[in-house]
Amino acid sequence: MKNVLVTGGTGLLGKEVVDQLLALNYDVTVLTSKKNTSVPAGVKLVKGDMASDTGLAEATRDADVVIHCASNPKDTQSVDIKGTCNLLDAIDKDKTLHFIYISIINVDKSDYAYYQTKIKVERMIAGSGIPFSVLRTTQFHNYVLSMLKTFDKKNGAIIVPDGMHFQSIEVKEAAALLVDLAQKEPVGLLRGVGGPELLKFEEMAKTYLKVLGRNDELKIKSIQDEEYDRYRSENNIWPTNSYGHVTWEAFLRHKLAS
Ligand SMILES: NC(=O)c1ccc[n+]([C@@H]2O[C@H](COP(=O)([O-])OP(=O)(O)OC[C@H]3O[C@@H](n4cnc5c(N)ncnc54)[C@H](OP(=O)(O)O)[C@@H]3O)[C@@H](O)[C@H]2O)c1
């Protein structure tokens, strides 16, 4: 039976990875920097911090496979860069046979600081000598929903920027891809997987209002912003490899009902 360490196993993606590994009877270890957190029964929880290099020897000790989901966009230098470096150093290269990392499509085609970090991390992993797989996906549905909510002032009208589009993917389906990789030989860099639909942001907003049963007016406005430009370009979609069955509407119906 393989032992899998999931970094970020308490986060949005990592939790799904952990649940799916447990369902397949893997031995699962989760690293957490939180003082208090809970994990499902049967998971070995190791307290530690990638940034300050604590707990990593214990967390990696039994790992045949590492699925690296930990990240902190607000402190990428300490957590993503230094933290990944510490994690790779802690790994026993004779024991760990597969290091799996979740990245984002087209990180190599953007100057955005977080994407630059992801590229550096990808390169660190590729240069570590540990057999690896890097999976680049599009944004998760949850990410698009969080963004949409920032435009929802709940005052009878929603104003969204023009020209944005997404091919977002359900986080459980992204997790399933990582778990599938854990069962196979390392494949190196997988450049792109996107969700099942390519949608304009305003269409996504319309569906959001429909699912909530609201009649708010939807306005589309030309708003200049570097962040929005990232989602106006072709760089956040991967139409040649769409994956998964959970559409935006299906995701919202489930998410907003709970
Ligand atoms: N969101 C998207 O649309 C999207 C799309 C593609 C790829 N991704 C990638 O998917 C990955 C996971 O994203 P997510 O949305 O699941 O993130 P998340 O919910 O914010 O989870 C981040 C995880 O990182 C862990 N972490 C943070 N600092 C740490 C530290 N110093 N030491 C150890 N662990 C630490 C946290 O664990 P504790 O708090 O328990 O320490 C937490 O479990 C990221 O690499 C992200 O770039 C995200």
Side-chain angles (χ1 to χ4, degrees):
M1 175 51 56
K2 276 189 199 162
N3 187 302
V4 185
L5 165 65
V6 185
T7 74
T10 59
L12 177 69
L13 174 66
K15 267 187 190 168
E16 297 295 343
V17 170
V18 168
D19 286 349
Q20 292 180 30
L21 288 169
L22 288 175
L24 292 169
N25 290 321
Y26 280 91
D27 289 334
V28 181
T29 302
V30 164
L31 173 75
T32 180
S33 64
K34 286 194 186 85
K35 282 209 175 88
N36 295 308
T37 192
S38 63
V39 287
V43 171
K44 178 180 171 190
L45 187 65
V46 176
K47 300 266 165 85
D49 187 325
M50 294 196 338
S52 62
D53 199 359
T54 49
L56 296 183
E58 189 191 347
T60 56
R61 186 170 300 130
D62 300 320
D64 303 300
V65 176
V66 174
I67 304 184
H68 182 28
C69 301
S71 174
N72 184 348
K74 293 188 180 132
D75 192 4
T76 53
Q77 192 54 40
S78 305
V79 177
D80 296 68
I81 305 277
K82 191 160 168 271
T84 303
C85 186
N86 292 335
L87 177 65
L88 291 167
D89 283 349
I91 286 173
D92 175 350
K93 295 186 176 56
D94 294 325
K95 168 79 183 156
T96 299
L97 302 174
H98 196 173
F99 189 100
I100 301 169
Y101 179 57
I102 177 75
S103 191
I104 302 171
I105 60 160
N106 288 322
V107 283
D108 48 348
K109 293 191 182 143
S110 168
D111 293 335
Y112 176 46
Y114 186 59
Y115 289 2
Q116 289 290 311
T117 297
K118 303 282 297 180
I119 268 289
K120 280 186 193 153
V121 172
E122 286 187 6
R123 288 180 183 151
M124 249 191 269
I125 293 164
S128 69
I130 303 166
F132 71 96
S133 303
V134 170
L135 173 69
R136 291 183 182 169
T137 72
T138 52
Q139 285 68 43
F140 305 149
H141 289 322
N142 301 67
Y143 178 87
V144 184
L145 179 58
S146 303
M147 188 178 204
L148 188 47
K149 281 182 172 174
T150 65
F151 298 104
D152 184 5
K153 309 292 180 214
K154 301 199 169 114
N155 59 2
I158 294 192
I159 304 170
V160 297
D162 66 339
M164 298 203 296
H165 54 205
F166 289 91
Q167 192 189 346
S168 51
I169 186 168
E170 160 63 33
V171 70
K172 280 188 193 341
E173 294 187 324
L177 289 168
L178 294 173
V179 170
D180 186 52
L181 284 171
Q183 297 169 75
K184 293 180 173 161
E185 293 298 311
V187 292
L189 176 62
L190 292 166
R191 288 192 173 276
V193 178
E197 309 165 290
L198 175 53
L199 297 170
K200 291 181 177 166
F201 191 56
E202 55 265 32
E203 290 177 70
M204 298 175 105
K206 250 186 231 166
T207 306
Y208 167 80
L209 290 171
K210 180 178 87 176
V211 169
L212 287 173
R214 284 170 41 189
N215 294 318
D216 303 51
E217 186 185 358
L218 182 65
K219 295 182 187 168
I220 302 159
K221 200 173 161 190
S222 169
I223 307 172
Q224 289 315 305
D225 187 287
E226 263 182 42
E227 184 189 1
Y228 307 154
D229 284 348
R230 267 202 306 284
Y231 306 123
R232 288 176 170 130
S233 79
E234 298 298 301
N235 285 347
N236 76 319
I237 54 172
W238 204 274
T240 52
N241 195 10
S242 57
Y243 174 82
H245 300 286
V246 183
T247 61
W248 171 245
E249 179 162 351
F251 160 77
L252 289 177
R253 291 209 177 278
H254 179 76
K255 180 83 184 167
L256 299 176
S258 56

Short mmCIF file of all heavy atoms in Angstrom, two decimals, residues 182-241:
data_model
loop_
_atom_site.label_atom_id
_atom_site.label_comp_id
_atom_site.label_asym_id
_atom_site.label_seq_id
_atom_site.Cartn_x
_atom_site.Cartn_y
_atom_site.Cartn_z
N ALA A 182 -1.12 9.76 -9.07
CA ALA A 182 -0.45 9.08 -7.95
C ALA A 182 -0.41 7.57 -8.16
O ALA A 182 0.41 6.87 -7.57
CB ALA A 182 -1.15 9.41 -6.64
N GLN A 183 -1.31 7.08 -9.01
CA GLN A 183 -1.37 5.64 -9.24
C GLN A 183 -0.54 5.20 -10.45
O GLN A 183 -0.52 4.03 -10.82
CB GLN A 183 -2.83 5.24 -9.46
CG GLN A 183 -3.67 5.50 -8.23
CD GLN A 183 -5.15 5.38 -8.51
OE1 GLN A 183 -5.65 4.28 -8.64
NE2 GLN A 183 -5.84 6.51 -8.62
N LYS A 184 0.12 6.20 -11.07
CA LYS A 184 0.87 5.89 -12.30
C LYS A 184 2.32 6.26 -12.15
O LYS A 184 2.73 6.88 -11.18
CB LYS A 184 0.27 6.70 -13.45
CG LYS A 184 -1.14 6.28 -13.80
CD LYS A 184 -1.68 7.12 -14.93
CE LYS A 184 -3.02 6.58 -15.38
NZ LYS A 184 -3.76 7.58 -16.14
N GLU A 185 3.07 5.93 -13.17
CA GLU A 185 4.47 6.36 -13.23
C GLU A 185 4.51 7.86 -13.50
O GLU A 185 3.61 8.40 -14.15
CB GLU A 185 5.18 5.63 -14.39
CG GLU A 185 5.33 4.13 -14.20
CD GLU A 185 6.18 3.79 -12.99
OE1 GLU A 185 7.27 4.36 -12.85
OE2 GLU A 185 5.73 2.96 -12.16
N PRO A 186 5.56 8.57 -13.03
CA PRO A 186 5.67 10.01 -13.29
C PRO A 186 5.67 10.33 -14.78
O PRO A 186 6.23 9.57 -15.57
CB PRO A 186 7.03 10.36 -12.67
CG PRO A 186 7.29 9.27 -11.68
CD PRO A 186 6.66 8.04 -12.21
N VAL A 187 5.03 11.44 -15.12
CA VAL A 187 4.90 11.77 -16.55
C VAL A 187 5.56 13.11 -16.91
O VAL A 187 5.49 13.53 -18.06
CB VAL A 187 3.41 11.82 -16.99
CG1 VAL A 187 2.79 10.44 -16.95
CG2 VAL A 187 2.61 12.80 -16.14
N GLY A 188 6.14 13.81 -15.92
CA GLY A 188 6.72 15.13 -16.24
C GLY A 188 5.63 16.19 -16.33
O GLY A 188 4.62 16.11 -15.62
N LEU A 189 5.81 17.13 -17.21
CA LEU A 189 4.88 18.27 -17.29
C LEU A 189 3.66 17.97 -18.17
O LEU A 189 3.80 17.62 -19.33
CB LEU A 189 5.63 19.48 -17.86
CG LEU A 189 4.79 20.74 -18.10
CD1 LEU A 189 4.18 21.28 -16.80
CD2 LEU A 189 5.63 21.83 -18.77
N LEU A 190 2.47 18.14 -17.56
CA LEU A 190 1.22 18.05 -18.31
C LEU A 190 0.73 19.48 -18.50
O LEU A 190 0.26 20.12 -17.56
CB LEU A 190 0.18 17.24 -17.53
CG LEU A 190 0.52 15.76 -17.39
CD1 LEU A 190 -0.36 15.11 -16.33
CD2 LEU A 190 0.34 15.05 -18.72
N ARG A 191 0.86 19.98 -19.71
CA ARG A 191 0.74 21.42 -19.94
C ARG A 191 -0.65 22.00 -19.71
O ARG A 191 -0.78 23.14 -19.31
CB ARG A 191 1.16 21.77 -21.36
CG ARG A 191 2.63 21.65 -21.55
CD ARG A 191 3.10 22.25 -22.85
NE ARG A 191 4.53 22.23 -22.86
CZ ARG A 191 5.30 23.16 -22.31
NH1 ARG A 191 4.75 24.21 -21.77
NH2 ARG A 191 6.60 23.04 -22.32
N GLY A 192 -1.67 21.22 -19.98
CA GLY A 192 -2.97 21.86 -19.85
C GLY A 192 -4.16 20.96 -19.79
O GLY A 192 -4.33 20.06 -20.61
N VAL A 193 -5.00 21.20 -18.77
CA VAL A 193 -6.32 20.58 -18.68
C VAL A 193 -7.29 21.69 -18.28
O VAL A 193 -7.01 22.46 -17.36
CB VAL A 193 -6.36 19.48 -17.61
CG1 VAL A 193 -7.76 18.89 -17.51
CG2 VAL A 193 -5.36 18.37 -17.89
N GLY A 194 -8.39 21.77 -19.01
CA GLY A 194 -9.40 22.77 -18.67
C GLY A 194 -10.71 22.11 -18.33
O GLY A 194 -10.87 20.90 -18.53
N GLY A 195 -11.63 22.89 -17.82
CA GLY A 195 -12.94 22.37 -17.46
C GLY A 195 -13.79 22.09 -18.70
O GLY A 195 -13.34 22.28 -19.83
N PRO A 196 -15.04 21.64 -18.47
CA PRO A 196 -15.85 21.15 -19.58
C PRO A 196 -16.45 22.22 -20.50
O PRO A 196 -16.89 21.89 -21.60
CB PRO A 196 -16.98 20.37 -18.88
CG PRO A 196 -17.03 20.92 -17.50
CD PRO A 196 -15.66 21.39 -17.15
N GLU A 197 -16.48 23.49 -20.06
CA GLU A 197 -17.14 24.51 -20.88
C GLU A 197 -16.28 25.77 -20.93
O GLU A 197 -15.64 26.13 -19.95
CB GLU A 197 -18.46 24.99 -20.27
CG GLU A 197 -19.43 23.93 -19.88
CD GLU A 197 -20.50 24.52 -18.97
OE1 GLU A 197 -20.19 24.88 -17.81
OE2 GLU A 197 -21.63 24.65 -19.43
N LEU A 198 -16.35 26.44 -22.07
CA LEU A 198 -15.71 27.75 -22.20
C LEU A 198 -16.83 28.79 -22.17
O LEU A 198 -17.71 28.78 -23.04
CB LEU A 198 -14.93 27.80 -23.52
CG LEU A 198 -14.29 29.10 -23.92
CD1 LEU A 198 -13.41 29.65 -22.81
CD2 LEU A 198 -13.44 28.89 -25.18
N LEU A 199 -16.82 29.64 -21.14
CA LEU A 199 -17.95 30.56 -20.94
C LEU A 199 -17.48 31.99 -20.75
O LEU A 199 -16.44 32.25 -20.15
CB LEU A 199 -18.73 30.15 -19.67
CG LEU A 199 -19.39 28.78 -19.66
CD1 LEU A 199 -19.89 28.44 -18.26
CD2 LEU A 199 -20.55 28.74 -20.66
N LYS A 200 -18.29 32.92 -21.27
CA LYS A 200 -18.02 34.33 -20.98
C LYS A 200 -18.41 34.60 -19.52
O LYS A 200 -19.38 34.01 -19.01
CB LYS A 200 -18.89 35.22 -21.88
CG LYS A 200 -18.48 35.17 -23.32
CD LYS A 200 -19.39 36.09 -24.12
CE LYS A 200 -18.96 36.12 -25.56
NZ LYS A 200 -19.97 36.71 -26.42
N PHE A 201 -17.68 35.53 -18.91
CA PHE A 201 -17.93 35.82 -17.49
C PHE A 201 -19.37 36.31 -17.29
O PHE A 201 -20.03 35.96 -16.31
CB PHE A 201 -16.93 36.87 -17.01
CG PHE A 201 -16.91 37.07 -15.53
CD1 PHE A 201 -16.68 36.03 -14.65
CD2 PHE A 201 -17.09 38.35 -15.00
CE1 PHE A 201 -16.64 36.23 -13.27
CE2 PHE A 201 -17.06 38.56 -13.62
CZ PHE A 201 -16.83 37.49 -12.75
N GLU A 202 -19.88 37.10 -18.27
CA GLU A 202 -21.25 37.61 -18.09
C GLU A 202 -22.28 36.48 -18.15
O GLU A 202 -23.29 36.52 -17.45
CB GLU A 202 -21.58 38.73 -19.08
CG GLU A 202 -21.38 38.43 -20.54
CD GLU A 202 -20.01 38.89 -21.06
OE1 GLU A 202 -19.04 38.87 -20.29
OE2 GLU A 202 -19.94 39.26 -22.24
N GLU A 203 -21.98 35.44 -18.97
CA GLU A 203 -22.89 34.28 -19.00
C GLU A 203 -22.86 33.58 -17.64
O GLU A 203 -23.89 33.12 -17.13
CB GLU A 203 -22.42 33.24 -20.02
CG GLU A 203 -22.52 33.61 -21.48
CD GLU A 203 -21.94 32.47 -22.34
OE1 GLU A 203 -22.56 31.40 -22.39
OE2 GLU A 203 -20.84 32.65 -22.91
N MET A 204 -21.66 33.52 -17.05
CA MET A 204 -21.52 32.86 -15.74
C MET A 204 -22.29 33.66 -14.68
O MET A 204 -22.93 33.09 -13.79
CB MET A 204 -20.04 32.73 -15.37
CG MET A 204 -19.27 31.88 -16.36
SD MET A 204 -17.49 31.81 -16.03
CE MET A 204 -17.30 30.17 -15.34
N ALA A 205 -22.24 34.98 -14.82
CA ALA A 205 -22.96 35.84 -13.88
C ALA A 205 -24.48 35.65 -14.03
O ALA A 205 -25.22 35.59 -13.04
CB ALA A 205 -22.58 37.30 -14.11
N LYS A 206 -24.92 35.50 -15.28
CA LYS A 206 -26.37 35.29 -15.54
C LYS A 206 -26.83 33.99 -14.87
O LYS A 206 -27.88 33.93 -14.23
CB LYS A 206 -26.60 35.18 -17.05
CG LYS A 206 -27.34 36.37 -17.65
CD LYS A 206 -27.65 36.09 -19.11
CE LYS A 206 -27.18 37.26 -19.94
NZ LYS A 206 -27.12 37.05 -21.35
N THR A 207 -26.02 32.95 -15.05
CA THR A 207 -26.37 31.65 -14.46
C THR A 207 -26.39 31.75 -12.94
O THR A 207 -27.27 31.17 -12.28
CB THR A 207 -25.35 30.57 -14.91
OG1 THR A 207 -25.29 30.60 -16.32
CG2 THR A 207 -25.74 29.20 -14.44
N TYR A 208 -25.45 32.50 -12.39
CA TYR A 208 -25.37 32.71 -10.93
C TYR A 208 -26.69 33.33 -10.43
O TYR A 208 -27.30 32.85 -9.46
CB TYR A 208 -24.17 33.61 -10.66
CG TYR A 208 -24.04 34.23 -9.30
CD1 TYR A 208 -23.54 33.51 -8.22
CD2 TYR A 208 -24.37 35.57 -9.09
CE1 TYR A 208 -23.37 34.10 -6.97
CE2 TYR A 208 -24.20 36.17 -7.85
CZ TYR A 208 -23.71 35.43 -6.79
OH TYR A 208 -23.55 36.03 -5.56
N LEU A 209 -27.15 34.37 -11.14
CA LEU A 209 -28.39 35.02 -10.72
C LEU A 209 -29.58 34.08 -10.88
O LEU A 209 -30.47 34.02 -10.02
CB LEU A 209 -28.62 36.31 -11.54
CG LEU A 209 -27.63 37.44 -11.22
CD1 LEU A 209 -27.77 38.59 -12.22
CD2 LEU A 209 -27.84 37.96 -9.79
N LYS A 210 -29.58 33.32 -12.00
CA LYS A 210 -30.68 32.37 -12.23
C LYS A 210 -30.74 31.33 -11.11
O LYS A 210 -31.81 31.06 -10.56
CB LYS A 210 -30.46 31.67 -13.59
CG LYS A 210 -31.54 30.67 -13.95
CD LYS A 210 -31.32 30.05 -15.31
CE LYS A 210 -30.43 28.84 -15.24
NZ LYS A 210 -30.24 28.14 -16.51
N VAL A 211 -29.59 30.78 -10.76
CA VAL A 211 -29.56 29.73 -9.72
C VAL A 211 -30.02 30.30 -8.38
O VAL A 211 -30.69 29.62 -7.60
CB VAL A 211 -28.14 29.11 -9.64
CG1 VAL A 211 -28.00 28.23 -8.41
CG2 VAL A 211 -27.84 28.31 -10.89
N LEU A 212 -29.70 31.57 -8.14
CA LEU A 212 -30.13 32.19 -6.88
C LEU A 212 -31.58 32.69 -6.95
O LEU A 212 -32.12 33.17 -5.96
CB LEU A 212 -29.21 33.37 -6.53
CG LEU A 212 -27.80 33.00 -6.04
CD1 LEU A 212 -26.93 34.24 -5.91
CD2 LEU A 212 -27.84 32.25 -4.71
N GLY A 213 -32.17 32.59 -8.14
CA GLY A 213 -33.56 33.05 -8.32
C GLY A 213 -33.70 34.55 -8.18
O GLY A 213 -34.72 35.04 -7.70
N ARG A 214 -32.67 35.28 -8.63
CA ARG A 214 -32.71 36.75 -8.51
C ARG A 214 -32.91 37.42 -9.87
O ARG A 214 -32.48 36.92 -10.89
CB ARG A 214 -31.40 37.24 -7.87
CG ARG A 214 -31.37 36.95 -6.38
CD ARG A 214 -30.05 37.20 -5.74
NE ARG A 214 -29.36 38.38 -6.21
CZ ARG A 214 -28.09 38.66 -5.89
NH1 ARG A 214 -27.41 37.83 -5.12
NH2 ARG A 214 -27.51 39.73 -6.35
N ASN A 215 -33.57 38.59 -9.83
CA ASN A 215 -33.85 39.31 -11.06
C ASN A 215 -32.98 40.55 -11.23
O ASN A 215 -33.34 41.45 -11.98
CB ASN A 215 -35.33 39.77 -11.07
CG ASN A 215 -36.25 38.58 -11.12
OD1 ASN A 215 -35.99 37.62 -11.86
ND2 ASN A 215 -37.29 38.61 -10.31
N ASP A 216 -31.86 40.59 -10.56
CA ASP A 216 -30.99 41.77 -10.64
C ASP A 216 -30.61 42.07 -12.09
O ASP A 216 -30.43 41.15 -12.89
CB ASP A 216 -29.68 41.53 -9.88
CG ASP A 216 -29.88 41.16 -8.43
OD1 ASP A 216 -30.67 40.25 -8.16
OD2 ASP A 216 -29.24 41.78 -7.57
N GLU A 217 -30.44 43.33 -12.37
CA GLU A 217 -29.99 43.72 -13.70
C GLU A 217 -28.48 43.38 -13.81
O GLU A 217 -27.72 43.62 -12.88
CB GLU A 217 -30.19 45.23 -13.87
CG GLU A 217 -29.89 45.69 -15.27
CD GLU A 217 -29.98 47.21 -15.39
OE1 GLU A 217 -30.31 47.88 -14.36
OE2 GLU A 217 -29.70 47.72 -16.47
N LEU A 218 -28.09 42.85 -14.99
CA LEU A 218 -26.67 42.55 -15.22
C LEU A 218 -26.11 43.58 -16.19
O LEU A 218 -26.61 43.71 -17.31
CB LEU A 218 -26.54 41.14 -15.79
CG LEU A 218 -25.12 40.65 -16.04
CD1 LEU A 218 -24.35 40.50 -14.74
CD2 LEU A 218 -25.16 39.31 -16.78
N LYS A 219 -25.12 44.32 -15.75
CA LYS A 219 -24.52 45.32 -16.62
C LYS A 219 -23.09 44.92 -16.94
O LYS A 219 -22.36 44.45 -16.06
CB LYS A 219 -24.49 46.68 -15.92
CG LYS A 219 -25.87 47.26 -15.66
CD LYS A 219 -25.73 48.62 -15.02
CE LYS A 219 -27.08 49.15 -14.58
NZ LYS A 219 -26.97 50.32 -13.72
N ILE A 220 -22.70 45.14 -18.18
CA ILE A 220 -21.32 44.81 -18.59
C ILE A 220 -20.60 46.11 -18.88
O ILE A 220 -21.11 46.96 -19.63
CB ILE A 220 -21.33 43.92 -19.85
CG1 ILE A 220 -22.14 42.65 -19.56
CG2 ILE A 220 -19.92 43.57 -20.28
CD1 ILE A 220 -22.65 41.95 -20.78
N LYS A 221 -19.46 46.28 -18.24
CA LYS A 221 -18.77 47.56 -18.35
C LYS A 221 -17.32 47.34 -18.79
O LYS A 221 -16.70 46.36 -18.39
CB LYS A 221 -18.78 48.22 -16.97
CG LYS A 221 -18.55 49.70 -16.99
CD LYS A 221 -18.77 50.26 -15.61
CE LYS A 221 -18.09 51.63 -15.52
NZ LYS A 221 -18.05 52.14 -14.18
N SER A 222 -16.81 48.26 -19.58
CA SER A 222 -15.40 48.19 -19.95
C SER A 222 -14.58 48.70 -18.75
O SER A 222 -14.65 49.88 -18.41
CB SER A 222 -15.18 49.06 -21.18
OG SER A 222 -13.82 49.19 -21.39
N ILE A 223 -13.86 47.80 -18.11
CA ILE A 223 -13.06 48.20 -16.93
C ILE A 223 -11.62 47.77 -17.18
O ILE A 223 -11.35 46.58 -17.41
CB ILE A 223 -13.58 47.52 -15.63
CG1 ILE A 223 -15.07 47.76 -15.44
CG2 ILE A 223 -12.79 48.01 -14.41
CD1 ILE A 223 -15.69 46.96 -14.27
N GLN A 224 -10.72 48.74 -17.16
CA GLN A 224 -9.30 48.40 -17.37
C GLN A 224 -8.69 47.90 -16.07
O GLN A 224 -8.82 48.54 -15.04
CB GLN A 224 -8.53 49.64 -17.87
CG GLN A 224 -8.88 50.03 -19.30
CD GLN A 224 -8.92 48.83 -20.24
OE1 GLN A 224 -7.96 48.09 -20.34
NE2 GLN A 224 -10.06 48.63 -20.91
N ASP A 225 -8.06 46.76 -16.13
CA ASP A 225 -7.47 46.19 -14.92
C ASP A 225 -6.57 45.02 -15.35
O ASP A 225 -6.98 44.21 -16.18
CB ASP A 225 -8.58 45.66 -14.00
CG ASP A 225 -8.06 45.21 -12.66
OD1 ASP A 225 -7.40 44.14 -12.60
OD2 ASP A 225 -8.32 45.90 -11.67
N GLU A 226 -5.36 45.00 -14.79
CA GLU A 226 -4.43 43.93 -15.17
C GLU A 226 -4.97 42.54 -14.86
O GLU A 226 -4.78 41.60 -15.61
CB GLU A 226 -3.12 44.10 -14.39
CG GLU A 226 -2.05 44.81 -15.18
CD GLU A 226 -0.76 44.90 -14.39
OE1 GLU A 226 -0.37 43.92 -13.73
OE2 GLU A 226 -0.16 45.99 -14.42
N GLU A 227 -5.65 42.45 -13.71
CA GLU A 227 -6.19 41.15 -13.32
C GLU A 227 -7.23 40.69 -14.35
O GLU A 227 -7.23 39.55 -14.79
CB GLU A 227 -6.82 41.22 -11.93
CG GLU A 227 -7.30 39.86 -11.45
CD GLU A 227 -8.13 39.90 -10.18
OE1 GLU A 227 -8.39 41.00 -9.65
OE2 GLU A 227 -8.55 38.82 -9.74
N TYR A 228 -8.13 41.61 -14.74
CA TYR A 228 -9.17 41.22 -15.69
C TYR A 228 -8.55 40.88 -17.05
O TYR A 228 -9.03 39.98 -17.75
CB TYR A 228 -10.22 42.32 -15.85
CG TYR A 228 -10.82 42.79 -14.54
CD1 TYR A 228 -11.35 44.08 -14.41
CD2 TYR A 228 -10.87 41.95 -13.44
CE1 TYR A 228 -11.88 44.51 -13.21
CE2 TYR A 228 -11.40 42.38 -12.24
CZ TYR A 228 -11.90 43.66 -12.13
OH TYR A 228 -12.43 44.08 -10.94
N ASP A 229 -7.48 41.58 -17.39
CA ASP A 229 -6.81 41.31 -18.67
C ASP A 229 -6.30 39.86 -18.74
O ASP A 229 -6.28 39.26 -19.81
CB ASP A 229 -5.63 42.27 -18.91
CG ASP A 229 -6.12 43.66 -19.31
OD1 ASP A 229 -7.32 43.80 -19.63
OD2 ASP A 229 -5.31 44.60 -19.30
N ARG A 230 -5.90 39.33 -17.58
CA ARG A 230 -5.44 37.93 -17.57
C ARG A 230 -6.54 36.99 -18.04
O ARG A 230 -6.29 35.97 -18.65
CB ARG A 230 -5.04 37.53 -16.14
CG ARG A 230 -3.60 37.71 -15.83
CD ARG A 230 -3.14 36.85 -14.67
NE ARG A 230 -3.89 36.98 -13.44
CZ ARG A 230 -3.79 38.00 -12.60
NH1 ARG A 230 -2.96 38.98 -12.86
NH2 ARG A 230 -4.52 38.05 -11.50
N TYR A 231 -7.78 37.37 -17.73
CA TYR A 231 -8.91 36.51 -18.07
C TYR A 231 -9.60 36.95 -19.36
O TYR A 231 -10.64 36.43 -19.72
CB TYR A 231 -9.88 36.45 -16.88
CG TYR A 231 -9.17 36.03 -15.61
CD1 TYR A 231 -9.18 36.83 -14.47
CD2 TYR A 231 -8.43 34.85 -15.59
CE1 TYR A 231 -8.48 36.45 -13.33
CE2 TYR A 231 -7.73 34.48 -14.45
CZ TYR A 231 -7.76 35.28 -13.33
OH TYR A 231 -7.07 34.90 -12.21
N ARG A 232 -9.00 37.94 -20.02
CA ARG A 232 -9.48 38.34 -21.35
C ARG A 232 -8.63 37.67 -22.43
O ARG A 232 -9.02 37.59 -23.57
CB ARG A 232 -9.38 39.86 -21.51
CG ARG A 232 -10.41 40.60 -20.70
CD ARG A 232 -10.22 42.11 -20.79
NE ARG A 232 -11.34 42.81 -20.20
CZ ARG A 232 -11.22 43.80 -19.30
NH1 ARG A 232 -10.04 44.23 -18.92
NH2 ARG A 232 -12.30 44.37 -18.82
N SER A 233 -7.43 37.23 -22.05
CA SER A 233 -6.51 36.68 -23.04
C SER A 233 -6.82 35.20 -23.25
O SER A 233 -7.63 34.61 -22.54
CB SER A 233 -5.07 36.85 -22.55
OG SER A 233 -4.79 35.85 -21.61
N GLU A 234 -6.13 34.62 -24.21
CA GLU A 234 -6.29 33.18 -24.46
C GLU A 234 -5.53 32.35 -23.41
O GLU A 234 -5.59 31.13 -23.44
CB GLU A 234 -5.73 32.83 -25.86
CG GLU A 234 -6.44 33.51 -27.01
CD GLU A 234 -7.89 33.12 -27.09
OE1 GLU A 234 -8.17 31.92 -27.23
OE2 GLU A 234 -8.76 34.02 -26.98
N ASN A 235 -4.80 33.02 -22.54
CA ASN A 235 -3.91 32.30 -21.64
C ASN A 235 -4.61 31.58 -20.49
O ASN A 235 -3.97 30.80 -19.79
CB ASN A 235 -2.86 33.26 -21.04
CG ASN A 235 -1.79 33.60 -22.05
OD1 ASN A 235 -1.72 32.94 -23.10
ND2 ASN A 235 -0.99 34.61 -21.78
N ASN A 236 -5.89 31.87 -20.26
CA ASN A 236 -6.55 31.17 -19.15
C ASN A 236 -7.53 30.10 -19.64
O ASN A 236 -8.38 29.66 -18.87
CB ASN A 236 -7.24 32.15 -18.20
CG ASN A 236 -8.53 32.68 -18.74
OD1 ASN A 236 -8.60 32.98 -19.93
ND2 ASN A 236 -9.55 32.79 -17.92
N ILE A 237 -7.38 29.71 -20.91
CA ILE A 237 -8.25 28.63 -21.41
C ILE A 237 -7.40 27.58 -22.12
O ILE A 237 -6.30 27.89 -22.59
CB ILE A 237 -9.35 29.17 -22.36
CG1 ILE A 237 -8.72 29.98 -23.50
CG2 ILE A 237 -10.37 29.99 -21.59
CD1 ILE A 237 -9.71 30.37 -24.57
N TRP A 238 -7.93 26.37 -22.19
CA TRP A 238 -7.21 25.28 -22.83
C TRP A 238 -8.24 24.41 -23.59
O TRP A 238 -8.51 23.27 -23.23
CB TRP A 238 -6.46 24.44 -21.79
CG TRP A 238 -5.30 23.72 -22.40
CD1 TRP A 238 -5.33 22.49 -23.03
CD2 TRP A 238 -3.95 24.18 -22.47
NE1 TRP A 238 -4.08 22.18 -23.49
CE2 TRP A 238 -3.21 23.18 -23.15
CE3 TRP A 238 -3.28 25.32 -22.05
CZ2 TRP A 238 -1.84 23.30 -23.41
CZ3 TRP A 238 -1.92 25.43 -22.29
CH2 TRP A 238 -1.21 24.42 -22.97
N PRO A 239 -8.80 24.99 -24.66
CA PRO A 239 -9.94 24.33 -25.33
C PRO A 239 -9.61 22.96 -25.92
O PRO A 239 -10.51 22.14 -26.12
CB PRO A 239 -10.32 25.30 -26.46
CG PRO A 239 -9.65 26.58 -26.14
CD PRO A 239 -8.46 26.28 -25.30
N THR A 240 -8.32 22.70 -26.22
CA THR A 240 -7.99 21.41 -26.84
C THR A 240 -7.99 20.25 -25.84
O THR A 240 -7.83 19.10 -26.23
CB THR A 240 -6.59 21.48 -27.50
OG1 THR A 240 -5.67 21.96 -26.52
CG2 THR A 240 -6.59 22.37 -28.72
N ASN A 241 -8.13 20.56 -24.56
CA ASN A 241 -8.18 19.46 -23.58
C ASN A 241 -9.18 19.80 -22.47
O ASN A 241 -8.80 20.18 -21.37
CB ASN A 241 -6.78 19.21 -23.00
CG ASN A 241 -6.71 17.88 -22.27
OD1 ASN A 241 -7.64 17.06 -22.35
ND2 ASN A 241 -5.62 17.64 -21.56
#
